[in-house]
Amino acid sequence: MNKKGILVVVSGFSGAGKGTVMKELLRKYDNYALSVSVTTRSPRPGEEEGREYFFRTKEEFERLIREDALIEYARYVENYYGTPRSYVEQQLSMGKDVILEIEIQGAMKIKEKIPEALLVFVTPPSVEELRNRLVGRGTETAEVIESRMSRAGEEAEGMESYDYILVNDDLEECVERMHQIILSEHYRMERNAAFVQKIKEESRALKRS
Ligand code: ADP
Ligand code: 5GP
């Protein structure tokens, strides 16, 4: 069977709980690698360089773009965010399923460049719950929360471009469903073309002429 990892793109409104779900998924299962993005935004309290993000200046970020060191990048609410290429490629070739937690413009770029990527959209059960979570997280000003809510309105329009929708209501249930989706994806016919071919060839010998 296919040994190469799957590139999993996870998007969803800011405050949907993507970070929380991914953290729990990585804690429970060891076949996942989470790509750490580069950003020009400032660290939130508790965030560490190289753990949540690589925090860079705008000039440094633009140099990474010129060097083609990012698989994709996008601007989101006044800042740049991008995915470093080398880590993703290395982990996929080692058989890890690599998770990119990125916004929708970046997700669409990945879909165009890497059609076999799996796209999952995470949403809270309601928009009211989204606001509660953003306010409850307590990491943004009221103004930033409003711009993120407005951005959520735009992003909702693109939900149908994703392969799966994942409702993050009960956290543990959501983590399990995510794991099952990725696991099932490994058994798609088209991801196992070489193995299918081998079995076909072997079984041809069984046919009566
Ligand atoms: P995102 O990464 O999508 O912006 P976070 O993971 O930071 O979102 O979650 C936003 C807030 O919602 C956090 O305070 C987090 O603890 C909370 N949260 C995440 N998942 C759930 C859930 N299933 N039920 C209730 N609260 C949640
Ligand atoms: P935050 O500032 O809340 O950490 O992230 C803001 C948005 O940027 C989120 O939707 C997050 O998924 C997205 N994001 C994080 N890293 C990347 C990246 O490398 N590329 C793109 N396109 N979006 C990213």
Side-chain angles (χ1 to χ4, degrees):
M1 296 288 276
N2 181 25
K3 292 284 189 313
K4 202 171 174 251
I6 294 177
L7 184 60
V8 185
V9 175
V10 177
S11 305
F13 314 129
S14 177
K18 302 176 298 292
T20 310
V21 172
M22 293 311 119
K23 208 169 144 195
E24 189 60 9
L25 186 75
L26 264 82
R27 193 187 63 77
K28 285 179 86 170
Y29 302 101
D30 61 10
N31 197 47
Y32 297 112
L34 185 66
S35 162
V36 177
S37 296
V38 187
T39 184
T40 57
R41 85 150 161 75
S42 319
R44 294 185 186 128
E47 285 185 337
E48 268 178 36
E49 164 69 16
R51 191 180 66 191
E52 280 79 13
Y53 284 104
F54 297 106
F55 297 97
R56 295 291 179 269
T57 62
K58 188 162 171 276
E59 290 66 36
E60 287 167 335
F61 196 99
E62 284 167 348
R63 191 159 59 88
L64 292 174
I65 299 174
R66 283 196 303 276
E67 289 171 350
D68 198 29
L70 305 174
I71 304 182
E72 63 72 38
Y73 67 92
R75 266 189 95 86
Y76 176 91
V77 192
E78 304 300 303
N79 285 298
Y80 275 131
Y81 294 82
T83 305
R85 180 186 302 283
S86 57
Y87 176 81
V88 172
E89 290 179 350
Q90 177 209 5
Q91 295 292 314
L92 285 175
S93 67
M94 283 164 59
K96 292 269 187 186
D97 294 327
V98 179
I99 298 177
L100 308 185
E101 194 205 306
I102 64 179
E103 52 65 73
I104 195 161
Q105 297 169 52
M108 293 306 109
K109 279 186 219 155
I110 294 283
K111 187 172 170 165
E112 204 182 294
K113 283 191 186 171
I114 311 169
E116 67 273 23
L118 170 68
L119 272 63
V120 181
F121 196 92
V122 180
T123 169
S126 67
V127 168
E128 191 193 350
E129 175 63 12
L130 178 65
R131 192 184 294 275
N132 290 342
R133 287 186 191 172
L134 271 175
V135 173
R137 187 166 70 185
T139 49
E140 275 94 3
T141 61
E143 195 191 332
V144 172
I145 289 178
E146 285 321 306
S147 59
R148 288 187 172 223
M149 289 296 290
S150 145
R151 177 66 185 236
E154 286 169 34
E155 293 203 335
E157 295 300 321
M159 276 164 71
E160 283 115 323
S161 304
Y162 287 72
D163 299 306
Y164 289 90
I165 178 156
L166 193 60
V167 180
N168 176 21
D169 193 351
D170 178 82
L171 179 63
E172 285 310 312
E173 239 175 66
C174 182
V175 169
E176 274 317 296
R177 225 174 285 143
M178 180 83 184
H179 180 60
Q180 292 306 330
I181 289 170
I182 300 170
L183 215 52
S184 306
E185 200 61 26
H186 276 275
Y187 300 98
R188 269 194 189 279
M189 279 295 172
E190 53 270 38
R191 290 195 193 275
N192 294 283
F195 180 76
V196 170
Q197 200 53 36
K198 173 182 113 62
I199 293 287
K200 265 187 162 177
E201 275 163 25
E202 285 174 8
S203 58
R204 262 183 212 129
L206 303 173
K207 268 201 222 162
R208 290 188 191 168
S209 50

